[in-house]
Amino acid sequence: GLRRLVARLRSTGATVLVLGPVPDPHTDVPLCLSEHLDDPTACAPTRADALDDAGIAAERAATIAGGGRYADLTPLFCAPTGCPLVIGDNLVFRDDNHLTVEYAETLAPVIDTLTERAPTRN
């Protein structure tokens, strides 16, 4: 379905960029962090738990097959072994799956660059 959708959009001349998923922290982040003030890593999921690598690969393949560009967002959230819930001075999630405004704002220039690099013609 994704391949067909991307191809259909591209056939209209549209630029198509599919953004990969955000990791799933599997916890209410502020609550967990408040219970582990001295060790925020106790709340951070492993990369394998937070992401579906097979799903990401399938989305990437379908997007490219349809003529679009796929942006894997994993490096913006995760290290090779885990996905920290605090990056720099920013809390990443405001609950169990929504980004904080502050972290989203830090990502804005990166997302802007990704959109500028998306294919513009068939």
Side-chain angles (χ1 to χ4, degrees):
L2 179 58
R3 181 196 56 75
R4 287 190 307 272
L5 175 61
V6 170
R8 189 172 192 172
L9 291 169
R10 293 289 291 137
S11 73
T12 70
T15 298
V16 178
L17 171 66
V18 175
L19 299 177
V22 171
D24 183 346
H26 296 288
T27 188
D28 184 318
V29 173
L31 180 62
C32 186
L33 290 174
S34 70
E35 294 171 355
H36 296 91
L37 293 174
D38 294 330
D39 184 18
T41 61
C43 300
T46 65
R47 187 183 184 291
D49 286 340
L51 296 164
D52 176 5
D53 286 330
I56 291 170
E59 282 184 348
R60 177 190 305 277
T63 300
I64 292 169
R69 184 161 180 273
Y70 187 81
D72 182 356
L73 302 181
T74 301
L76 301 175
F77 294 92
C78 299
T81 58
C83 302
L85 301 177
V86 177
I87 298 176
D89 291 333
N90 293 303
L91 180 64
V92 177
F93 295 95
R94 66 179 171 94
D95 55 20
D96 65 336
N97 67 347
H98 295 96
L99 298 181
T100 61
V101 169
E102 295 77 14
Y103 194 63
E105 287 174 344
T106 67
L107 296 179
V110 176
I111 302 300
D112 184 48
T113 298
L114 291 171
T115 58
E116 289 174 3
R117 293 181 182 167
T120 56
R121 34 178 218 271
N122 290 328

